[in-house]
Amino acid sequence: MMALRARSVMQIGDRVLHRHMSSGAGKRVGFVGLGNMGGHMASNLIKKGHKLNVYDISAPACEALKAKGATVSKSYQDVAKSSDFVVTMLPNNDIVSETYKDMVSGGVNSDTVFIDSSTIDPNVAQAVQKLVKSKGATFVDAPVSGGVPGAAAATLTFMVGGTEAEYQTVKGLLEGMGQKITHCGGYGMGQAAKICNNMMLGISMVGLSEVMNLAIRLGLDAKTFGDIVNSSTGRCWSSEVYSPVPGLVATAPANFDYAGGFATNLMTKDLGLASGVATSSNTPIPLGAMAHQVYRTVMAHGLGDKDFSVVYDFLRNQEKK
């Protein structure tokens, strides 16, 4: 009887959370991290009618959002204390951990829901959730897939880790930035899904770059072979939407000297995360490990700030044997 009563109280609490934090338009949303992805995501929330408070260490990034109607906050703490929701989009484990420690150090409103869309280790996401919960607020991990084009077009895929009630609470807000919002399970499971997806992306981009380079060296026309791949069994997101070969997909970073997009250093970081969790779970990832080594080599050649599809240009420039 006591167990049944406790479960009923938890269910009522979840319903109250969902009802109280309804995420319709007009909410006060804090956004921390206004880089290639975050800037577009924040802009889309403004378009949906939300009132944005933003913060980034880059003054120009803040000014760009201010010009679109956002209020620029003076600190992480100010963002947290003036927002119903806070979205963070940050580069790595350490920055996420330190930002959240700083952001909640002065206390937070118990009604505030924190959403981290960075790509980090699932264990770090779980630690941040415990930190935020200890302050009386709510946290979910919700990393994204779709790259800069998806961020700009508000067609991102969000992978959410948290309770079902928390997922329902954030779903409406995330729909202002994405097209597919999926509940992956408990805390950290959004990050687990993202790491596995990005490992697949890294592997497929290296594979596509290899075969495109080989086909062209054999004398095939790049467009002709690209069309064959996209109508055959080799078809993938990289070949169809994000070709590493200049001239094949007009919007791909390959046409802009591999500027913008998803940086090689970030792909290398994500493949490193995959290697770490694979080791801790005793899971063999031979191709993932090989892709990680390829991207580490690309970085060592000074291409870390270029889009990760620059791996094609790196392979193309290798001396013919």
Side-chain angles (χ1 to χ4, degrees):
M1 179 67 72
M2 290 294 291
L4 179 61
R5 185 177 301 163
R7 187 161 57 248
S8 297
V9 170
M10 290 174 64
Q11 290 171 343
I12 291 169
D14 281 349
R15 287 198 295 271
V16 170
L17 171 67
H18 177 43
R19 183 169 62 249
H20 181 62
M21 291 302 301
S22 172
S23 49
K27 287 293 180 181
R28 298 178 304 162
V29 181
F31 208 109
V32 175
L34 305 172
N36 289 336
M37 295 288 290
H40 289 301
M41 293 163 68
S43 295
N44 285 326
L45 289 175
I46 293 174
K47 292 175 185 176
K48 289 293 182 178
H50 297 291
K51 301 170 184 177
L52 255 68
N53 305 299
V54 302
Y55 182 81
D56 193 282
I57 59 173
S58 167
C62 291
E63 287 302 312
L65 265 295
K66 182 178 180 180
K68 296 178 181 180
T71 298
V72 177
S73 296
K74 294 181 180 179
S75 67
Y76 299 127
Q77 295 96 328
D78 287 346
V79 171
K81 290 179 179 179
S82 61
S83 304
D84 300 315
F85 293 88
V86 175
V87 182
T88 52
M89 191 65 170
L90 300 164
N92 57 47
N93 288 339
D94 291 342
I95 293 176
V96 169
S97 294
E98 290 305 314
T99 296
Y100 272 89
K101 287 176 184 176
D102 187 12
M103 190 155 47
V104 304
S105 61
V108 294
N109 298 322
S110 60
D111 289 342
T112 301
V113 178
F114 294 85
I115 305 168
D116 182 43
S117 289
S118 317
T119 299
I120 57 174
D121 188 307
N123 294 314
V124 174
Q126 291 164 0
V128 171
Q129 186 274 331
K130 290 177 182 177
L131 171 65
V132 173
K133 183 179 179 181
S134 73
K135 300 293 184 177
T138 300
F139 171 92
V140 300
D141 51 294
V144 302
S145 180
V148 174
T155 57
L156 293 169
T157 292
F158 282 86
M159 294 154 269
V160 183
T163 68
E164 175 65 27
E166 289 164 351
Y167 164 70
Q168 293 298 336
T169 296
V170 302
K171 187 171 183 285
L173 182 76
L174 298 182
E175 284 173 341
M177 301 178 282
Q179 208 165 49
K180 184 172 179 61
I181 321 298
T182 300
H183 185 208
C184 297
Y187 306 115
M189 289 304 97
Q191 295 296 346
K194 175 61 189 293
I195 289 171
C196 291
N197 179 76
N198 269 25
M199 186 175 78
M200 184 69 250
L201 176 61
I203 292 169
S204 65
M205 182 59 81
V206 172
L208 176 64
S209 296
E210 285 187 357
V211 298
M212 291 301 298
N213 185 46
L214 175 61
I216 293 167
R217 285 191 180 186
L218 290 174
L220 283 162
D221 176 75
K223 186 178 187 312
T224 297
F225 184 66
D227 289 343
I228 289 171
V229 169
N230 285 331
S231 60
S232 302
T233 53
R235 177 183 175 186
C236 62
W237 183 86
S238 295
S239 67
E240 198 171 27
V241 177
Y242 215 79
S243 176
V245 182
L248 296 193
V249 177
T251 56
N255 296 304
F256 308 100
D257 192 29
Y258 302 96
F262 184 53
T264 292
N265 55 21
L266 293 178
M267 174 55 79
T268 307
K269 183 256 311 185
D270 290 356
L271 290 168
L273 290 174
S275 293
V277 296
T279 298
S280 65
S281 61
N282 197 29
T283 305
I285 54 164
L287 292 181
M290 194 172 296
H292 186 207
Q293 185 57 46
V294 169
Y295 275 105
R296 288 178 65 186
T297 303
V298 174
M299 278 190 64
H301 282 75
L303 300 171
D305 291 334
K306 296 286 189 180
D307 180 78
F308 79 108
S309 59
V310 78
V311 66
Y312 165 77
D313 195 58
F314 172 76
L315 293 172
R316 184 180 65 85
N317 288 317
Q318 297 304 296
E319 183 180 353
K320 296 181 182 179
K321 301 296 184 181

